[in-house]
Amino acid sequence: MPMKNRGGGEFASRNAFSRSWVLLLYLGSFCAGMFFTNRMWMVPEGKGASKNFRVADVQRKIKSEECSPERNAYNAGISENSRTQLSIQELNHTIADLERKLAAALEDNESASNGSLTLDNSKTNDSTSKRKKYFMVIGINTAFNSRKRRDSIRSTWMPQGEKRKKLEEEMGIIIRFVIGHSSTSGGILDKAVAAEELTNRDFLRLNHVEGYLELSAKTKTYFATVVSLWDAEFYIKVDDDVHVNLATLGSTLAAHRMKPRVYIGCMKSGPVLSQKGVKYHEPEHWIFGGERNKYFRHATGQLYAISRELAKYILKNQDVLHKYANEDVSLGSWLIGLDVEHVDDKKLCCGTPPDCEVKAQSGHPCAASFDWKCSGICESVERITEVHSRCGEDENAVWSKSF
């Protein structure tokens, strides 16, 4: 009996052991079958091959994750983190989209042309076709201590109030006094300009710190700013001690409107001044060669104009455009290596009476008048009214033109 009991117990134990192995073999066979089945799903030919491969891969990943609760918990955390990251990305995209729409709205806002503007980030809108088209934008370079000069221009060749607004809407001519900020932003100088702006609404404020040695930087910022704000055919810079006849200036530029890259002014080539302490000293004179060298041809700084494509070029490359001591030289250097037509037109640099007066009487009025010895009209505050009366075109001349 004891032997029988031992034999029965041993048989029972062996039988249980065999069932365990059979179960394990069955599970192993099932998993192997699933593995080979998935491998077959990975091989189909044709266009669906890559898609079936992804399906099989996902199936294997799901099955392996179902066997590991720890893995599921880990993946749950990863999934939650991924969803958080996706939410942040979507929020960033939404913010960026809103910023683009805001920039476009600012550019399309017609009130931009009726008052002063400050542009801190000069970027163009790709959809320029939706922007209102203008003929020319005239920026009058001015300084904080030039209030009397500005008033003298307002009382002579620059239309005021409703006439200026009509000039923009009907003739496509925008005129603004261009000024930056003082070194102490919000100081007394800035407040004085802000008060003047409330009365006249004819300023363009640049993201630029004013200073005589910063004129090249101001010129670059000016062109980058105006081409971002207004889609015009020409962009002009003029000093605040120069007399301008708008109709003649417009006619002069209109003759070149079919040229995509044109640079218009009174071209000159003056000496490069290496001596320190003299006016117009060029600290980087050595770049232009040895002594008695001259600058390359460039438009004199009292008034010049460039076409839209050139203004866009300055906008896009402003971070790498070099600034020389003299702003007119700087502009010339930015354009000299490009496929640009230089137009030398002496109507943009007539002398004050009797020069401009004789030309006006002969039926060939000047577009701009100033004195070379003063780089502008000498004592312009007192004399610009006389220049305007003797050399200025008829008050209605600009309205009879079709630009």
Side-chain angles (χ1 to χ4, degrees):
M1 289 298 293
M3 290 292 294
K4 186 176 182 180
N5 289 337
R6 279 198 304 274
E10 183 178 353
F11 176 79
S13 175
R14 198 179 297 127
N15 189 31
F17 180 77
S18 299
R19 285 197 301 270
S20 298
W21 273 104
V22 169
L23 181 59
L24 288 174
L25 287 172
Y26 174 77
L27 291 174
S29 299
F30 175 78
C31 291
M34 290 299 297
F35 174 76
F36 283 107
T37 301
N38 288 336
R39 292 285 293 180
M40 291 178 66
W41 276 62
M42 293 166 58
V43 213
E45 298 179 353
K47 297 181 180 178
S50 60
K51 181 178 180 181
N52 292 335
F53 176 84
R54 290 194 296 271
V55 170
D57 191 46
V58 171
Q59 287 176 342
R60 285 198 302 277
K61 183 180 289 187
I62 292 174
K63 287 182 176 60
S64 63
E65 290 175 352
E66 287 176 348
C67 300
S68 175
E70 295 84 357
R71 181 70 178 175
N72 288 340
Y74 173 77
N75 286 340
I78 292 295
S79 177
E80 183 63 29
N81 185 43
S82 299
R83 284 195 295 270
T84 302
Q85 291 179 350
L86 286 174
S87 298
I88 293 174
Q89 291 176 358
E90 291 176 356
L91 180 59
N92 288 336
H93 288 320
T94 301
I95 293 174
D97 185 57
L98 288 173
E99 289 177 342
R100 286 192 295 270
K101 290 180 179 178
L102 176 60
L106 287 174
E107 290 180 356
D108 291 336
N109 189 355
E110 292 185 4
S111 65
S113 62
N114 297 327
S116 67
L117 292 168
T118 299
L119 190 67
D120 293 329
N121 190 12
S122 303
K123 293 185 179 180
T124 53
N125 186 356
D126 292 335
S127 58
T128 54
S129 60
K130 297 180 180 179
R131 299 166 62 188
K132 184 175 179 179
K133 305 292 184 180
Y134 294 92
F135 174 57
M136 62 181 177
V137 176
I138 302 174
I140 307 172
N141 185 41
T142 191
F144 287 109
N145 61 352
S146 297
R147 172 64 188 266
K148 291 182 178 180
R149 285 187 179 184
R150 292 191 290 273
D151 285 341
S152 69
I153 289 178
R154 290 180 181 122
S155 64
T156 53
W157 62 266
M158 180 181 180
Q160 295 298 295
E162 290 300 317
K163 286 186 177 180
R164 183 168 61 85
K165 185 176 180 181
K166 182 180 178 182
L167 192 70
E168 296 176 5
E169 295 176 349
E170 298 184 9
M171 307 303 297
I173 300 175
I174 293 174
I175 309 175
R176 293 289 186 277
F177 287 107
V178 180
I179 195 168
H181 298 274
S182 65
S183 56
T184 55
S185 183
I188 187 171
L189 296 176
D190 293 301
K191 290 179 179 178
V193 169
E196 185 179 346
E197 163 63 10
L198 288 175
T199 303
N200 299 284
R201 300 291 181 182
D202 55 7
F203 278 96
L204 170 64
R205 301 298 299 274
L206 301 177
N207 182 23
H208 166 79
V209 177
E210 287 289 328
Y212 180 76
L213 297 179
E214 298 299 326
L215 289 178
S216 292
K218 183 176 181 179
T219 299
K220 183 163 59 173
T221 302
Y222 163 68
F223 283 117
T225 301
V226 290
V227 76
S228 299
L229 291 174
W230 296 294
D231 184 16
E233 295 184 60
F234 298 99
Y235 300 91
I236 299 98
K237 175 261 177 181
V238 59
D239 289 339
D240 61 3
D241 54 356
V242 173
H243 180 268
V244 175
N245 283 322
L246 294 176
T248 306
L249 176 61
S251 298
T252 302
L253 299 182
H256 306 283
R257 70 191 319 164
M258 301 307 295
K259 302 171 182 177
R261 293 172 300 278
V262 63
Y263 171 35
I264 307 171
C266 289
M267 300 295 166
K268 66 175 184 177
S269 178
V272 180
L273 302 179
S274 59
Q275 183 180 353
K276 292 183 178 180
V278 300
K279 192 175 183 181
Y280 306 128
H281 164 64
E282 179 58 72
E284 297 180 275
H285 55 86
W286 63 275
I287 291 179
F288 300 93
E291 294 183 3
R292 296 186 178 181
N293 261 19
K294 290 186 176 182
Y295 288 115
F296 43 79
R297 290 284 174 184
H298 62 280
T300 185
Q302 284 82 1
L303 186 149
Y304 47 71
I306 60 175
S307 55
R308 180 195 297 111
E309 283 196 25
L310 297 182
K312 286 184 177 179
Y313 173 81
I314 294 174
L315 167 64
K316 293 178 180 178
N317 297 280
Q318 57 183 315
D319 293 336
V320 294
L321 294 177
H322 187 68
K323 303 184 295 294
Y324 292 103
N326 301 299
E327 53 96 9
D328 51 356
V329 172
S330 293
L331 177 65
S333 71
W334 302 336
L335 307 179
I336 195 171
L338 307 179
D339 184 13
V340 174
E341 180 174 347
H342 288 57
V343 176
D344 181 22
D345 196 321
K346 300 307 180 185
K347 290 196 296 293
L348 302 178
C349 55
C350 294
T352 56
D355 182 23
C356 60
E357 184 177 21
V358 171
K359 292 174 181 177
Q361 291 174 352
S362 65
H364 302 285
C366 296
S369 303
F370 59 89
D371 299 306
W372 283 104
K373 64 180 180 180
C374 297
S375 298
I377 298 176
C378 298
E379 300 177 354
S380 64
V381 173
E382 293 78 17
R383 294 185 59 233
I384 196 171
T385 301
E386 177 197 356
V387 173
H388 183 65
S389 63
R390 297 173 65 180
C391 301
E393 58 198 2
D394 185 85
E395 183 180 354
N396 297 316
V398 69
W399 308 107
S400 63
K401 298 292 183 178
S402 178
F403 300 123

